[in-house]
Amino acid sequence: LRLSFSSSFKTVRCCYSILLCVVGEEMVTIRTAVVEDILQMQHCNLLCLPENYQTKYYLYHLLAWPQLSHVAEDDCGKIVGYVMAKMDEDESSLVGHVTSLAVKRSHRRLGLARKLMDQAAQAMVDNYSADLCSLHVRRSNRAALNLYQKNLGFETFEIETKYYADGEDALAMKRKLIPNNEDENSTAK
């Protein structure tokens, strides 16, 4: 086991894609998502985001790219956040894509979104040798933009007009992923 410390909470990184985080008095586990998590992931999505996905879309991600999606689970076993990711099939380079990221309000501003993103990015590198990670974000979502740009190093490469069902534009963003052998801290800078 490797111990690392950050300003807000202790982290213990274990094998099998499990990350234990002590947040205040509560333990939160970040682990690879499994099919049995879909209903709780969907519930988290409904509480947090205006875009909602059918059950089969979650299932498709978990079956096609089983290592890339992760959940944050509280000490009672309730999912309080998730990241759903995939690999883009049409790219000439190896590009992972974050389809959805959500953290319940009760667990925001604790670093869980960053931890979920870091786990997904590391899985992209470890399992698919991905070079880049991409995502779309609503132009109006200032909190997400702050996370992606300032904390995770994403850059906007395109504005997709009327990308969302309600007509809002999306910023298409990407960042370079760094393999473990190049940098011990790998994907998060």
Side-chain angles (χ1 to χ4, degrees):
L1 293 178
R2 180 179 54 140
L3 278 172
S4 62
F5 298 92
S6 69
S7 59
S8 59
F9 54 88
K10 268 192 298 192
T11 300
V12 179
R13 187 178 174 120
C14 305
C15 56
Y16 307 112
S17 194
I18 296 174
L19 190 68
L20 303 174
C21 305
V22 179
V23 183
E25 298 295 317
E26 186 176 7
M27 177 72 75
V28 176
T29 305
I30 296 177
R31 61 171 174 77
T32 306
V34 294
V35 172
E36 291 80 10
D37 296 325
I38 290 175
L39 291 179
Q40 284 194 65
M41 290 169 69
Q42 201 168 28
H43 178 70
C44 185
N45 177 273
L46 289 167
L47 292 175
C48 300
L49 300 171
E51 301 78 43
N52 299 296
Y53 307 106
Q54 293 182 6
T55 304
K56 66 183 178 181
Y57 194 61
Y58 292 92
L59 184 61
Y60 169 63
H61 276 72
L62 295 181
L63 294 178
W65 306 279
Q67 312 90 338
L68 299 185
S69 295
H70 293 79
V71 294
E73 194 174 62
D74 69 12
D75 51 7
C76 296
K78 300 286 184 202
I79 291 176
V80 296
Y82 76 90
V83 61
M84 186 167 59
K86 65 180 185 169
M87 294 301 295
D88 281 338
E89 297 131 359
D90 299 330
E91 299 287 335
S92 57
S93 62
L94 297 166
V95 179
H97 183 80
V98 173
T99 304
S100 183
L101 171 69
V103 175
K104 289 183 179 178
R105 288 193 188 279
S106 60
H107 287 76
R108 289 187 186 162
R109 304 194 59 81
L110 301 172
L112 289 178
R114 181 185 180 119
K115 293 286 185 191
L116 286 163
M117 289 290 290
D118 286 346
Q119 288 292 101
Q122 190 60 55
M124 290 171 189
V125 171
D126 292 346
N127 295 285
Y128 298 97
S129 301
D131 302 317
L132 296 169
C133 180
S134 67
L135 57 81
H136 291 91
V137 62
R138 286 179 173 271
R139 204 174 213 176
S140 63
N141 191 341
R142 296 289 165 219
L145 284 168
N146 185 55
L147 171 71
Y148 299 142
Q149 292 172 327
K150 294 183 179 166
N151 295 318
L152 294 172
F154 279 86
E155 296 178 356
T156 301
F157 69 92
E158 185 179 1
I159 297 172
E160 297 195 28
T161 308
K162 298 182 181 179
Y163 178 85
Y164 293 100
D166 63 3
E168 185 172 352
D169 296 348
L171 300 181
M173 304 183 86
K174 65 182 173 184
R175 78 166 182 169
K176 184 172 173 33
L177 298 176
I178 303 167
N180 271 336
N181 58 0
E182 289 183 27
D183 182 334
E184 186 60 30
N185 294 327
S186 72
T187 58
K189 292 282 176 193

